[in-house]
């Protein structure tokens, strides 16, 4: 999720190493090296072989590190997969204006078709993790809002963006189907107690080791509320039998799936519109969620 024009701070390995040396001298001897895919909203570095550093790129994401440090240690012991739990919280300094964190490095590679041995097992394991997350005590957790781009909150927040994208895309998308799905999604509500959500369940935040889903990372837009937003991966990554297995294992009602399709539609529409109508994955997502039910 972009910061919507927020100025981004220049972050490099030298800066990260200075912060470590100043605040955690017992780790100062460890080499700081960039990670191949360091993240869009937070920059990640290796710290030696077993640790990592996480630094927010801009003010819009600066709160995320502290939120992770507060909540993830409480959630981690009760989840079936590893999550990236902060070991130490760095303070703002002369060179860097926000909190940052030191984490345990979790092995594995970002989820991709080549890395996953059995897509159906992967889908069921992911559903098992999300169901376990939803069952944890959400008392006092951060409700969906500006801090996490309204994940877990009302879809209506993004009606203006959906309308803009539909106008821009014109006949390039199914206008009637998309508008109808959006209205159907807005007509439903989460009536259960708020539950924990990850907020960005995407291949880049799912780690695979030895062919199996092994860890879930980047809880920066975590919160509590409606779990529909965590189901978007149904159409953005899962296919065929794996998609069916995920839907079956999640065992959510029709209204939740309608809102999940709404979340997927919103993101795909603004992505497609932002790319001038040229984005194959976004178009595939739109066609999938508009064309049929989950």
């Amino acid at each position: 999720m972009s910061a919507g024009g927020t100025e981004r701070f220049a972050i490099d390995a030298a800066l990260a190493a200075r912060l470590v040396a100043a605040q955690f001298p017992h780790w100062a001897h460890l080499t700081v090296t960039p990670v191949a895919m360091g993240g869009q909203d937070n920059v990640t570095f290796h710290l030696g072989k077993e640790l990592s550093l996480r630094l927010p790129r801009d003010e819009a994401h600066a709160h995320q590190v502290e939120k992770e440090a507060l909540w993830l240690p409480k959630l981690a012991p009760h989840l079936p997969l590893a999550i990236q739990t902060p070991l130490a919280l760095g303070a703002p300094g002369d060179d860097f204006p926000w909190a940052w964190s030191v984490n345990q490095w979790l092995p594995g590679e970002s989820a991709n078709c080549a890395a996953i041995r059995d897509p159906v097992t992967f889908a069921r394991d992911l559903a098992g993790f999300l169901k376990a997350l939803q069952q944890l005590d959400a008392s006092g957790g951060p409700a969906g809002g500006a801090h996490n781009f309204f994940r877990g909150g009302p879809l209506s927040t993004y009606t203006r963006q959906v309308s803009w994208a539909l106008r821009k895309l014109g006949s390039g998308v199914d206008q009637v189907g998309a508008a109808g799905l959006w209205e159907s999604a807005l007509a439903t509500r989460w009536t259960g107690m708020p539950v924990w959500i990850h907020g960005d369940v995407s291949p880049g935040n799912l780690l695979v080791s030895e062919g199996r889903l092994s860890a879930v990372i980047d809880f920066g837009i975590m919160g509590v509320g409606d779990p529909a937003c965590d189901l978007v991966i149904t159409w953005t990554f899962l296919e065929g039998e794996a998609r069916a297995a995920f839907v079956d294992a999640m065992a959510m009602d029709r209204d939740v799936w309608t809102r999940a399709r709404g979340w997927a539609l919103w993101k795909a529409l603004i992505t497609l519109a932002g790319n001038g109508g040229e984005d194959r994955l976004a178009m595939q997502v739109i066609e999938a969620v508009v064309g049929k039910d989950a």
Side-chain angles (χ1 to χ4, degrees):
M1 172 61 66
S2 68
T6 301
E7 183 177 355
R8 299 207 150 188
F9 197 87
I11 301 171
D12 57 20
L15 167 63
R18 290 197 301 273
L19 289 171
V20 171
Q23 299 188 34
F24 303 108
H26 54 290
W27 286 322
H29 66 287
L30 299 176
T31 303
V32 176
T33 55
V35 172
M37 298 182 65
Q40 295 183 352
D41 303 327
N42 296 272
V43 183
T44 302
F45 296 95
H46 290 282
L47 179 59
K49 294 182 178 180
E50 298 182 353
L51 302 176
S52 67
L53 304 175
R54 183 166 163 84
L55 286 75
R57 290 183 185 272
D58 53 51
E59 187 173 4
H61 300 89
H63 63 279
Q64 295 181 358
V65 167
E66 294 173 285
K67 181 171 61 174
E68 290 177 329
L70 173 63
W71 289 106
L72 295 187
K74 300 176 182 180
L75 302 182
H78 309 289
L79 294 171
L81 297 172
I83 63 174
Q84 201 166 36
T85 306
L87 300 176
L89 187 64
D94 293 338
D95 288 344
F96 192 71
W98 306 300
W100 51 282
S101 62
V102 181
N103 304 270
Q104 193 74 31
W105 178 259
L106 295 177
E109 59 181 303
S110 297
N112 63 83
C113 294
I116 297 170
R117 181 183 302 132
D118 180 356
V120 171
T121 298
F122 174 90
R124 289 174 178 156
D125 288 346
L126 176 58
F129 176 87
L130 293 176
K131 295 295 284 187
L133 180 64
Q134 292 169 12
Q135 291 166 8
L136 299 182
D137 183 7
S139 302
H147 72 94
N148 71 341
F149 306 98
F150 296 91
R151 299 299 197 275
L155 265 175
S156 56
T157 302
Y158 292 111
T159 293
R160 182 174 297 182
Q161 290 187 6
V162 168
S163 298
W164 164 80
L166 287 173
R167 288 195 304 271
K168 185 169 183 179
L169 293 169
S171 61
V173 297
D174 178 356
Q175 293 280 326
V176 174
L181 169 56
W182 188 251
E183 291 304 315
S184 295
L186 293 183
T188 70
R189 296 288 184 274
W190 174 249
T191 57
M193 295 293 291
V195 299
W196 280 107
I197 57 167
H198 176 278
D200 188 14
V201 182
S202 58
N205 292 331
L206 304 174
L207 299 184
V208 174
S209 182
E210 298 182 354
R212 293 286 297 266
L213 179 63
S214 59
V216 180
I217 61 174
D218 194 351
F219 281 73
I221 55 176
M222 68 187 297
V224 301
D226 177 4
C229 62
D230 273 355
L231 305 179
V232 172
I233 196 169
T234 305
W235 304 280
T236 57
F237 185 67
L238 302 176
E239 298 179 340
E241 292 182 3
R243 180 180 294 176
F246 181 73
V247 172
D248 182 65
M250 289 305 304
M252 309 298 284
D253 66 35
R254 184 181 178 85
D255 283 353
V256 174
W257 285 111
T258 299
R259 290 192 302 280
R261 290 165 63 207
W263 277 104
L265 177 67
W266 158 69
K267 187 59 180 290
L269 282 174
I270 63 172
T271 300
L272 187 63
N275 291 336
E278 299 294 331
D279 191 302
R280 187 174 64 177
L281 176 59
M283 181 60 79
Q284 289 174 344
V285 171
I286 293 168
E287 292 173 348
V289 298
V290 170
K292 60 181 179 179
D293 292 340

